[in-house]
Amino acid sequence: MAELSLSHVADQLIGNYNMGGISSGERRRVSIAAQLLQDPMDLTSVDTQSKEREIETYKRVQMIESAYKESAICRRTLENIERTKHLKTLPMVPFKTKDSPGALCKLGVLLRRVMRNLLRNKLAVIMRLVQNLIMGLFVIFYLLRLQNDMEKGAIQDRVGLLYQFVGATPYTGMLNAVTLFPVLRAVSDQESQDGLYQKWQMLLAYMLHLLPFSIIATLMFSSVCYWTLGLYPEAARFGYFCAALLVPHLIGEFVSLVLLGIVQNPNVVNSIVALLSIAGVLIGSGFLRNIEEMPIPLKIISYFTFQKYCSEILVVNEFYGLNFTCGSSNHSVAANPMCTITQGIQFIERTCPGATSRFTTNFLVLYAFIPVLVILGIVVFKIRDHLISR
């Protein structure tokens, strides 16, 4: 950086022509520096289609060679070479090591670089943290507060609320990926060709960097929505609620990252993830149609959707232990069919039978989606690396 006069912009965003950052000349010097790190054998670029340019380039190389041979640096270098021929142990070459940095070291550097670059984009940081919160505030203003009276929509409001949370959180995660990652993907495509690292290492660094942001964003969103809307008033239930909603948010972003390894256009990825999220909620959540009543093929597919396990966790977490009223005490069940459900456990058994006993298992299966998507993303980007190198 010092040799290429880049030290004064060490803490600035590189950017591109569409987004601010360092100047175009400084960006070119950054590109030269990245290639110099790999000790290229040929630093000249000759247009073989133009004979005149080829001759001119050859003449300039000869001039540089002649000037170097007549310099004091060349004489000292030759003297050092002659002197080292008689040494029993050769001195170490400065700034050189026998082995290149390991994969873990490269991952650490990439993680630090991704974190620093994205933190410089203040708008992206703010949107990453408040997207879910903005959605939650809209829901709060719409519902205000949940009731336990069946005649006032005690079950309907809760089901609609959980449906909204399960369906919307993956989409906000997807928006982050399609906005921020394509720029890093373009950088990794170039730098991996120069041999600095592999594409999957950039992907893994991005996945690791987003974890603290997702956790903070989910906690902010849940802290406001859970207590304001009047969900089950218990600290442990609040913890389960946060842990359950963190996964859909991460999965939405991870699925987008996997698809960005295959599909070049982020808008296409946006559409695919949105369709997958909608289909997953329809088939797996059980909110629109009881899973037990669906055709067998759809019932089998539901087991491969994260929405099934997240929805069952949220239903049990909210409805277990609730008692419902039904207007005035004078109303009978016969007069009002809505009063057939008086306890939350009745709704749980009607919507997702056995979900209470599967609560821990559902959590384990839900969190298993994350490492599966990480491994799938690494495989996809390894294939991408192979195809681009060819």
Side-chain angles (χ1 to χ4, degrees), residues 46 52-65:
V46 180
E52 291 79 9
R53 285 190 181 180
E54 190 173 353
I55 294 172
E56 182 64 26
T57 302
Y58 180 70
K59 288 180 180 179
R60 290 186 180 183
V61 171
Q62 282 187 319
M63 290 172 60
I64 295 170
E65 181 185 6

Side-chain angles (χ1 to χ4, degrees), residues 115 129 207-217:
M115 185 69 77
L129 293 176
M207 287 179 166
L208 290 174
H209 115 275
L210 67 86
L211 289 176
F213 288 101
S214 298
I215 292 172
I216 294 171

